[in-house]
Amino acid sequence: MERRAETAVGEHVELEYQLTREDMRQALKARAKASGRARRMRGFALVGVAALVGGSAVPLAHGEAPDTGTWVIAGLVVVSLFVLQPWLLARQFHKIASRNGACHSRVDDCGVTVENAGGSSRLNWTAAPRYAETADTFVLLSGDDNASCLTVLPKRGVRTPEDVDAVRALLDRQIRRL
C-alpha cells in the first residue's frame, strides 16, 4: 500500500487525447519496423516483385515487346502492400479505438495507465519493454518478435510542451527505445 502512495506523488505525466487515423498510421508503421514478421513479409514481396520485373525484362533485352501484364501485377502488388494495406489497417484500428472515446493516460515509473469510456488498463514496463517515437506519437510495444500489442500515446495529449520531454525521459529510463 505504501508503494502506491509513493507512486501517486512521484514523477508522472498525464495525457488527454482522442486517437486519430494518423496516430494509428504512425503507430502501425513503427510497429511494422519493429516486427520481424512484417519485415520478412515486405522482403518476400519485394523479391517477388523484383522477380516479376526481372522476368519481363528478359524479352526487352532480346528486342521484344515487354509483357505489360507482369508490370501491371508488380505495380498492383507494390501499391497494395505499401499504400493500400497500411491505410486500410490504420482505418480499421482507428475505428475500433474511436468507439471508446477520449483517452486519459498516465505515464509514471511503474508503467502506463490508459482510461476511456470502454474501461481502463494498466501496463507495467515488462508488458511493454520497448518503444518507438514518431513525429507525433510514442508507441509502446510488447516484447515479442511480432510486436503483437501496442499502446499509442499522441504527443498532442500532453498539457505543456515540456511534458513531451518528460514522457521521453520516463520511457528512456524504464524501457528500450527502438
Side-chain angles (χ1 to χ4, degrees):
M1 192 72 157
E2 285 181 28
R3 189 169 189 164
R4 283 187 184 204
E6 290 173 14
T7 302
V9 298
E11 182 182 3
H12 71 275
V13 180
E14 296 191 18
L15 298 92
E16 296 277 344
Y17 54 90
Q18 176 78 37
L19 287 172
T20 65
R21 283 190 191 133
E22 180 59 18
D23 295 335
M24 296 311 297
R25 188 193 66 74
Q26 288 183 29
L28 291 168
K29 186 175 179 181
R31 177 181 171 237
K33 288 180 181 178
S35 169
R37 179 179 289 167
R39 286 190 309 270
R40 286 187 298 276
M41 186 178 85
R42 282 191 312 269
F44 287 136
L46 287 175
V47 167
V49 167
L52 285 171
V53 171
S56 67
V58 171
L60 281 175
H62 291 98
E64 299 172 14
D67 179 13
T68 55
T70 303
W71 287 91
V72 169
I73 291 171
L76 287 173
V77 168
V78 169
V79 167
S80 65
L81 188 64
F82 295 100
V83 177
L84 191 58
Q85 187 260 355
W87 179 80
L88 287 171
L89 197 56
R91 184 173 175 254
Q92 187 63 32
F93 269 70
H94 174 258
K95 187 176 180 180
I96 293 167
S98 66
R99 289 180 190 153
N100 294 320
C103 295
H104 173 84
S105 296
R106 178 186 169 108
V107 183
D108 59 35
D109 285 322
C110 294
V112 178
T113 303
V114 179
E115 298 175 347
N116 58 34
S120 67
S121 62
R122 175 86 179 146
L123 292 171
N124 61 26
W125 295 123
T126 57
R130 55 197 179 140
Y131 81 98
E133 183 174 354
T134 70
D136 303 317
T137 64
F138 294 102
V139 183
L140 309 181
L141 300 163
S142 59
D144 60 296
D145 185 44
N146 295 322
S148 57
C149 297
L150 61 89
T151 301
V152 184
L153 300 172
K155 293 176 183 178
R156 71 177 177 287
V158 297
R159 294 182 178 158
T160 67
E162 296 81 28
D163 284 347
V164 171
D165 293 330
V167 171
R168 187 180 300 111
L170 271 165
L171 295 175
D172 284 339
R173 189 168 56 239
Q174 298 297 331
I175 58 179
R176 182 174 57 96
R177 183 193 308 222
L178 297 176

